[in-house]
């Protein structure tokens, strides 16, 4: 039986350590409890927000006027397939990194590069989490979700999730109607180790990499993350605040005239024949706009990674939103590039 609480401060549930109160709040541990919570919200005629690890959201200072459901659906089940691979079915409320560590202890490959990412398993398909050359989409086989409107369950196969860079169907208005309860990953003990990402190459340089275990790769990723990203215990943050940018080759060439060192990676060639270039936005924020280490009052840009915004303790959602707006404007002024937040804003809709 679920317990509904009232006026619960959300700052304690977000890694930004920011957010006003939830009008109603409850914790659910299985699909049955989720249906009870859904029915409660329907009866009260209030919106629902599903909270996982709270690690990629900016909750407004006014809070959330409906029911916040903290998803704690647990369980990790391993099923060996006839082709030797293993299907792992995981409750959406499992902690992501605990799950990654568990797959490595089962000698399975595919997730070690995604070590140390805060949040829950249920959030991993929503924004197709990625780091150090890997994305969740390459291992997600399918997922189960419940329709907020009807309470009916549906299984979404990989292709129906429509994954993109930090994107999926579940980020679209249609997709937001679904509550993810379980995610199935297809993992392989023979999956080759991948240490091609710049920071991992640097970490392993001069070391013998011929006999690396998955645990060695996990340890390397955790060390690199620790050096660049803030410790959640001491600072409030939601990791990268903005998405990296992709621009046409011509625009990249003109940026290079002014800033010859701007890094760029050939991304894809669209149907129209246009080549696009992916640029690390952190480089622009750091080297063109000079934002690295910038602080205004209780919020700022992290000193070791310019894509990361920080709450030093007493920052508010409006402080972060103003800083983000100031960064967006400056990037546009300097480069003509429009940047988008990666973090989801949970703000009441302005009439
Ligand atoms: N750089 C700078 N200044 C900085 C930081 C980076 O110039 O302050 C430049 C460097 O050239 C560096 C490049 O930017 O080589 C890329 O930086 P980094 O490797 O730190 O990666 P990123 O593109 O900034 C992305 C993800 C991170 C993920 C890392 C590692 C996005 C939005 N962010 O950041 O994900 O950990 O790659 O793979 O794609 C997150 O999503 O919250 C997150 C932390």
């Amino acid at each position: 039986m679920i317990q509904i609480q009232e006026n619960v401060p959300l700052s304690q549930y977000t890694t930004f350590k920011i957010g006003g109160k939830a009008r109603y709040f409850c914790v659910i541990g299985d699909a049955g409890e989720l249906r009870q919570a859904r029915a409660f919200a329907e009866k009260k005629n209030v919106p629902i927000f599903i909270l996982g690890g709270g690690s990629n959201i900016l909750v407004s200072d006014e809070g959330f006027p409906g029911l916040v459901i903290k998803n704690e659906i647990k369980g990790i089940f391993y099923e060996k397939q006839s082709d030797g691979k293993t299907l792992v079915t995981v409750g959406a409320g499992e902690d992501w990194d605990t799950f990654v560590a568990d797959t490595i202890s089962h000698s399975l490959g595919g997730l070690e590069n995604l070590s140390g990412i805060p949040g829950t398993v249920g959030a991993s398909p929503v924004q197709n989490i990625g780091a150090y050359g890997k994305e969740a989409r390459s291992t997600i086989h399918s997922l189960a979700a419940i329709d907020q409107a009807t309470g009916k369950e549906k299984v979404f196969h990989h292709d129906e999730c429509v994954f993109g860079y930090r994107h999926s169907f579940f980020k679209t208005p249609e997709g937001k109607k679904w509550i993810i309860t379980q995610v199935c990953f297809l993992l392989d003990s023979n999956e080759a180790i991948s240490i091609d990402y710049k920071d991992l190459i640097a970490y392993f340089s001069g070391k013998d990499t011929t006999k690396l275990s998955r645990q060695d790769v996990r340890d390397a990723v955790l060390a690199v993350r620790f050096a660049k990203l803030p410790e959640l215990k001491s600072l409030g943050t939601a990791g990268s605040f903005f998405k990296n940018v992709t621009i046409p080759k011509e625009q990249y060439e003109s940026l290079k005239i002014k800033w010859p060192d701007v890094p760029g990676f050939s991304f894809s060639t669209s149907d129209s024949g246009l080549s696009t270039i992916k640029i690390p936005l952190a480089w622009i924020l750091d080297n063109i706009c000079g934002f690295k280490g910038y602080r205004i009052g209780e919020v700022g840009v992290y000193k070791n990674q310019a894509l990361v915004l920080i709450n030093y303790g007493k920052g508010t959602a409006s402080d972060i939103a103003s800083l983000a707006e100031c960064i967006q404007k400056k990037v546009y002024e300097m480069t003509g590039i429009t940047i988008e937040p990666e973090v989801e804003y949970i703000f009441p809709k302005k009439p």
Side-chain angles (χ1 to χ4, degrees), residues 16 55-58 171 238-242 341-345:
F16 250 136
S55 58
N56 203 48
I57 52 175
L58 180 65
K171 275 197 137 179
S240 299
F241 194 88
F242 299 101
E342 189 227 16
V343 165
E344 191 186 351
Y345 283 57

Side-chain angles (χ1 to χ4, degrees), residues 68-83:
V68 171
I69 302 176
K70 177 138 172 51
N71 185 342
E72 289 193 357
I73 301 176
K74 296 283 164 82
I76 308 180
F77 306 98
Y78 291 84
E79 267 172 85
K80 189 100 186 212
Q81 307 295 290
S82 53
D83 61 0

Side-chain angles (χ1 to χ4, degrees), residues 55-56 113 117-118 127 129-134 165-166 197-199 224-225 228-229 238-244 261 263 265 278-287 292 301-308 342-343:
S55 58
N56 203 48
N113 291 44
I117 297 179
Q127 64 144 348
I129 56 172
Y132 306 103
K134 290 279 179 181
Y165 165 63
R166 292 295 193 273
Y197 197 86
K198 197 172 147 197
D199 288 354
V224 168
R225 286 188 70 91
K228 271 203 171 175
L229 298 171
S240 299
F241 194 88
F242 299 101
K243 291 184 190 175
N244 277 321
D261 298 336
F265 308 95
K278 194 165 175 180
I279 305 185
L281 177 60
W283 194 94
I284 296 178
L285 299 181
D286 182 0
N287 300 280
K292 197 167 176 170
V301 177
Y302 190 49
K303 63 177 178 16
N304 295 346
Q305 224 297 3
L307 205 50
V308 174
E342 189 227 16
V343 165

